[in-house]
Structure formats: structure tokens, C-alpha cells
Amino acid sequence: MHALSKYIAKRLLWTLPTLLIVAAMVFFLVRMIPGDPAQLILGDSASPDELANLRANLGLDRPVPVQFLYWLGNVLRGDLGHSISNGAPVLPLMLDRFQVSATIVVVAVALATLIAVPAGLVAAWRQNEHVDIAIVAASTLLMSVPSFWLGLVLLLVFGLKLGWLPVVGYVPFTEKPWTAITYVILPVVTLMLIEVGVLTRMMRASAIEILRLEYVMHARAKGLSEAKVLLRHVLPNAFAPTWTMIGLVLGGLLGGIAVLETVFTLPGLGRLLVDAIFARDYPVVQGCLLFTALIYVIVNLIVDLCYPLFDPRVTAS
Amino acid sequence: MIRQPANLIIGSALLIFIGGMALLALFWTPYEPAAIKLIAKLKPPSAQFWLGTDEFGRDVVSRLMTGAVQSMTVAILTVAFAITVGTITGLIAGYTRGLVDRILMVFSDALLAFPGTLLALGLMVISGPNKYGIILALGIAYSPSVLRVVRASVLSAREREYVEASRVIGNSEFATMFRHVLPNCTAPIVVLATSMFGWVVLAESGLSFLGLGVPPPAPTWGNMLSAARTYIEKAPWLGLAPGICISMTLLGINLLGDALRDRFDPRMEQR
């Protein structure tokens, strides 16, 4: 247990400098846009008083590192400023939108994992046989289709041609749960199909390596049934790399979901960022970048912290 | 992952097809890709317009071909940029070690803390939507992965005897690095560059789809798809064709990547 807590402490400590640099990058990104930061943040309609106020607030007369610390202090207190377009505070706005993106991404990746793990395991078990070739071909194909196009095609088929599902829009779960589900089925299925490809290939590759190891042969020699060998001896060990991949996929999706939210006109975090970029709503841009990077780092942290559960060797090294 | 020759053959065939389409477009397209002809708008595929026409009566085949040029140019330049920057910094980091290495690694870790597309989106804020902005943004986003791969190979190569020998016979550190250490990193760089080509095609089409990539009227697969959304029910061919081109490119890259990976390094995992 001692090794485990040391591993956790080390991993947590490593996250801090990364987060600090991420914050600095987001801060300087917006500062690198030519123009007066106060004007950029308040927009063109700001009065001279407001501008002067904000300049003092941002410490624009101070050296840049001091300005950064000012900003960081505000961020740590949860104050990410206000949207230029509608004056709403950035943090609640983002959290609201994040719920939409997170629901879709988490459900899709969970479903994808449920399909990918058995599919990858079977493919590895029957390596180079017909089942395997079919599974590999299907997952390579799925991996090669862009999500926004697959979404568009599914929308065309199930929304427009067959008319089974609503085409555009979103209803919160809290209002009409059943209608809400019909709106998210297509985006969830699209994402799930895309991710099944990557995860199946990952699972297959690691299961193949495990199947070659001696203890599998030993387990077979003991007379265990194939099902027991696969479920008890191969699955737990082969799952660890797939688990890391799930983390990368989850985090990557939160950054890349803007295209899918555009296809299905969902009010998610990605769409908020893209709209903010178009509207030059810099506080929102800054907030979304910071928030998404933070989620990405946290997801990967959680994945790493869960890693010892699947692979006890991690803490030893 | 499928039988080796099948990967190699199908993958190369797909890429040669797309590459050939782009090369041909440099000299010839069936119609002028930007020529607006409103009387021929939204025509379904026919003998005259093989894949139909769009909302301005522009020929879809011609636009797909010109789009292939855009996608290939962006992908080649971005990969070249990321590989150059990543290789130079990776060599420096792995070879000098010490303080320089630490600083480079801290920066690359921080860049990797952003999902690739997100970082590119952020950088597009500064550059605005244009071709060179995308190349720079995606190039910066992907160079840390190259840095890591190169640094790892340098760290293992620098202790080898022939590197030691090169120093002993009086070659400069610079010459040793380029002539004896760098060639050892080629295999992993080639494998990485192949996958990266696919990531860039996907990311560029995604950014163009969002309206943050190559701006119209220059046709790209991404902005063609974006424009096709409005007419998806009336003219589904507009939405199908660019997506099939993107998928064919990515499938080609993935198959070729598998073949290369099996050949150079059976243990290398994809990102």
C-alpha cells in the first residue's frame, strides 16, 4: 500500500506544473492577439470608464508576469470574467454547456468500450481467422470515417429519409427525459461507432501479446476452459492499455466534439468555444480552452490513478 | 494488422488514387471548379456532371479534385513542419540532456496537455481562418509528439559504440548528431509521420467544416461538407462525395501505417 500512495502522490504533484503552464499558455494566447486587452475583453461598445476600470483590474500598467498572477488569482477563485456577447459570467455558462457534451461523450465511450472489449478479445483469440479479419477490417474502416460525416449520413438516413428520430435540436433531460433521449441517440451512436474502431484495435493488440505469454499456456495446460482462460487470465491483463486509450479518447473527444455538436446543433462546450471564436468573445475563448485542457489533464490523471487497479506492476516501477 | 500485403496494397492504392486526383487537378479538371452556373444548380449525378453540381452550379468532381490539392498541401506542409521542428528539438533535447532538455520537455508536456484539435482551435484565434494559420497551428500542436519519439531514440542511440567512435575520431558533436544519431530515428519518424498525415487531413477537414479552416471560395473537402449540410435532403450527393474522399484518404493512411508499423517496429503503438 505504501508504494501505491507514493505513486499517487507523485502523479498528483506532477500535474501541478503542467496545469500552471497550461494556464500561462491560455493567458498569453489571448494576450498575443494584437490590440488593447481591455478593449478586446469588453468589446467595442465599452465606455471609457469601463475600460479604465478593467485596465486597473487586470493590472495592465504592471509588468506582464504580475498581470498573469492577477488573472490566475481570479481564475482560482472561479472568476473567469464575463462574456462579451451576453454579459453572462463565463464559468456557469461553461458548466451548463459542459453537461451536454459530457453526457454524450461519456455514454458513447462507455457503450463503445462494452462493444470493443469483447470484440477485441475474440479477434485476438481467433487471430488471423475469418472472424478476426472481419473485426479488424470493420474497425479499421470505422476508424477512418470522420465523425461529422458519419453523423451527417446517419442524420440523412434516420432523421430525414426514415423519419425515426428528430433532426436538429436539444431538450434537457430534466424537462422531458424521453424526448431528450431521442435527440441524443444519433450523436451518441455516431461517436460510439467511431470510437469502437480505435478501442477494438487496441484491445486486440494487447490481448494478442498476453495470449503469447507462458502463464496463459499454463492455465490452458491446467485444463481450464477457454472461456475461463480468456475471462480470468487474458482480459484483466489486456485491459490496462485499452484503459489508457479510453482516457485519451475521452479527453480528446471533449476537445474535438465541436464538429459533432455542429452537425446535430447541440448546445455543448465545443460549440460554445467555436461560436466564441467567431464572435471574438475572448473571455469565453480563454475560459473554454482552460476548462477543456483542465478536464483533459484530470481525465488522464484519473486514468493513471486507476491504472494500478488493472496492473499492479505500475506501482513497483 | 490484416495480412501484410493486403494492407500495403489496398493502402497504397487508395493513397495513389487520391494523390493522383490531386496531381491531375493541378493541370486539368473537367470544369472550372469556381465557375458559377446558376441554371445548372443542384443537378444530380449524370453523364455531364459525374457527381452532380452544388448550390451554385459548380461541378462537384472538379471541386473534389481541387479540394484534394488543398488537403494534400496542408497535410504535407503541416507534417513537414512538425517533423522538422520536432526532430531538431528532439535531437537537441536527447543529445544535450541537462537543463535544455528539461525546458524542452516541460513545454512539450504542456502542449500535450491540450487535446490536439483544441490547441489548434486556440491558435486559430490568433491567426484567423486561413491556410497558413492551419499549417502553423496544427504543426505546433503535433510537434511535441515528434520531439518525444526522436528524443527517446536519441537517448538509446547516443550510448552506442559507433556514436562513441565518431566522437573519438574527432567528428564534431554536430556532425555526430546528424550523421550517426539521426539515421537511427528514421523508422519511428516515418511511422509517426504516416499517422500524423491522417490526423492532419482529419483535423483540417474538421476545422474547415467549422468554418475555421481554408475559407471559401477555395474548395476543401471540409468546407464542401459544411456547405452541403443545408442541402442534405435535396442534394445528398453533395454531402456524400467529400466524406467518401476523406474516409478513403484516412483508410489508406491507416492501412499503410499498419503495414509500416509491422515492418519497422512491431511493438510501436499508435497514439
Side-chain angles (χ1 to χ4, degrees):
Chain A
M1 208 52 206
H2 180 66
L4 183 63
S5 45
K6 218 169 138 186
Y7 167 77
I8 293 175
K10 214 167 124 186
R11 190 62 186 76
L12 281 174
L13 224 70
W14 260 116
T15 311
L16 290 176
T18 313
L19 284 179
L20 195 66
I21 293 175
V22 164
M25 281 165 65
V26 169
F27 172 80
F28 285 107
L29 199 70
V30 171
R31 280 301 153 89
M32 273 160 70
I33 300 167
D36 173 13
Q39 187 87 59
L40 287 176
I41 289 171
L42 288 176
D44 294 327
S45 57
S47 71
D49 276 356
E50 283 176 319
L51 283 174
N53 247 337
L54 184 68
R55 284 203 191 99
N57 226 329
L58 293 171
L60 287 183
D61 48 344
R62 311 281 190 89
V64 174
V66 179
Q67 294 179 26
F68 172 60
L69 291 179
Y70 257 73
W71 177 78
L72 196 63
N74 285 337
V75 168
L76 290 177
R77 280 196 300 273
D79 176 10
L80 287 161
H82 294 260
S83 159
I84 298 175
S85 329
N86 57 17
V90 173
L91 188 64
L93 187 66
M94 286 193 314
L95 291 176
D96 194 36
R97 299 295 202 94
F98 177 64
Q99 286 175 359
V100 180
S101 309
T103 313
I104 291 168
V105 168
V106 169
V107 174
V109 173
L111 290 175
T113 310
L114 286 180
I115 300 175
V117 169
L121 204 58
V122 167
W125 180 51
R126 286 278 171 250
Q127 196 187 351
N128 293 333
E129 292 178 22
H130 290 301
V131 195
D132 177 36
I133 293 172
I135 290 177
V136 171
S139 39
T140 310
L141 196 65
L142 283 175
M143 228 174 82
S144 309
V145 178
S147 62
F148 47 97
W149 183 65
L150 185 63
L152 213 57
V153 172
L154 293 179
L155 199 78
L156 178 67
V157 176
F158 295 99
L160 295 169
K161 296 286 172 200
L162 297 173
W164 292 354
L165 293 163
V167 180
V168 289
Y170 179 76
V171 177
F173 280 91
T174 42
E175 284 171 25
K176 292 183 200 151
W178 193 244
T179 327
I181 290 175
T182 59
Y183 277 109
V184 295
I185 286 180
L186 282 181
V188 164
V189 169
T190 309
L191 267 192
M192 180 198 81
L193 286 175
I194 303 278
E195 299 310 333
V196 158
V198 188
L199 294 177
T200 304
R201 282 171 48 118
M202 193 73 202
M203 186 65 202
R204 176 183 176 273
S206 42
I208 284 177
E209 284 194 15
I210 302 290
L211 278 165
R212 287 200 194 115
L213 297 180
E214 261 174 35
Y215 77 92
V216 175
M217 204 194 293
H218 181 82
R220 278 180 177 148
K222 257 193 335 196
L224 288 184
S225 68
E226 279 297 295
K228 268 193 182 153
V229 171
L230 283 179
L231 291 179
R232 204 175 295 164
H233 296 283
V234 179
L235 177 63
N237 289 296
F239 188 61
T242 311
W243 174 252
T244 312
M245 198 66 191
I246 291 173
L248 286 174
V249 162
L250 266 180
L253 278 182
L254 290 172
I257 199 185
V259 281
L260 205 69
E261 288 171 355
T262 304
V263 172
F264 293 106
T265 54
L266 293 169
L269 190 64
R271 200 52 235 179
L272 180 68
L273 172 62
V274 173
D275 288 339
I277 291 177
F278 279 124
R280 302 190 166 271
D281 195 340
Y282 295 116
V284 176
V285 172
Q286 225 169 19
C288 287
L289 288 176
L290 193 65
F291 188 75
T292 316
L294 181 74
I295 298 288
Y296 191 55
V297 171
I298 290 176
V299 167
N300 280 311
L301 181 72
I302 294 174
V303 166
D304 277 10
L305 291 182
C306 291
Y307 213 87
L309 295 179
F310 305 112
D311 193 350
R313 283 168 300 182
V314 173
T315 45
S317 59
Chain B
M1 281 206 192
I2 312 176
R3 270 185 314 121
Q4 172 79 284
N7 274 345
L8 198 65
I9 294 167
I10 303 175
S12 323
L14 285 169
L15 290 180
I16 289 170
F17 177 74
I18 298 284
M21 205 164 105
L23 276 181
L24 184 62
L26 292 176
F27 306 102
W28 176 84
T29 50
Y31 295 87
E32 178 57 40
I36 293 176
K37 206 155 110 200
L38 291 174
I39 40 163
K41 73 175 181 187
L42 297 177
K43 287 258 185 282
S46 64
Q48 194 189 358
F49 303 104
W50 297 340
L51 291 175
T53 61
D54 71 2
E55 71 276 21
F56 294 112
R58 297 174 297 195
D59 177 45
V60 172
V61 174
S62 309
R63 293 178 63 73
L64 282 178
M65 287 171 69
T66 321
V69 179
Q70 297 281 357
S71 290
M72 294 301 117
T73 321
V74 170
I76 291 170
L77 291 177
T78 306
V79 171
F81 178 92
I83 295 286
T84 312
V85 173
T87 305
I88 293 175
T89 46
L91 275 176
I92 295 173
Y95 208 80
T96 58
R97 296 196 288 190
L99 187 65
V100 183
D101 180 29
R102 291 258 180 80
I103 294 172
L104 285 170
M105 286 310 282
V106 165
F107 272 97
S108 95
D109 277 351
L111 284 171
L112 287 173
F114 289 93
T117 31
L118 183 75
L119 185 61
L121 269 179
L123 293 169
M124 298 300 290
V125 174
I126 303 177
S127 70
N130 66 68
K131 195 155 119 187
Y132 299 99
I134 302 183
I135 295 172
L136 200 66
L138 290 175
I140 293 174
Y142 292 138
S143 14
S145 334
V146 185
L147 186 153
R148 298 193 139 221
V149 168
V150 173
R151 178 176 174 272
S153 335
V154 172
L155 284 181
S156 75
R158 54 172 287 142
E159 306 301 336
R160 300 271 176 82
E161 276 161 12
Y162 59 83
V163 173
E164 194 65 26
S166 166
R167 271 188 223 128
V168 171
I169 59 172
N171 281 333
S172 70
E173 290 289 296
F174 187 79
T176 310
M177 203 150 86
F178 273 83
R179 210 171 302 153
H180 301 287
V181 177
L182 185 58
N184 273 287
C185 318
T186 358
I189 293 178
V190 169
V191 174
L192 185 63
T194 315
S195 333
M196 197 185 288
F197 196 89
W199 304 339
V200 176
V201 170
L202 186 61
E204 178 267 322
S205 57
L207 286 172
S208 295
F209 180 75
L210 289 174
L212 287 165
V214 181
T220 66
W221 297 336
N223 69 28
M224 286 173 75
L225 259 181
S226 169
R229 275 182 69 209
T230 323
Y231 306 96
I232 192 72
E233 195 169 13
K234 226 158 99 194
W237 61 88
L238 285 181
L240 292 179
I244 291 173
C245 283
I246 302 172
S247 306
M248 274 169 66
T249 315
L250 294 181
L251 185 60
I253 299 275
N254 286 332
L255 290 173
L256 198 68
D258 283 347
L260 286 175
R261 206 169 299 129
D262 290 347
R263 175 143 184 186
F264 283 137
D265 187 349
R267 291 193 57 92
M268 193 159 154
E269 289 166 6
Q270 47 151 359
R271 196 175 101 152

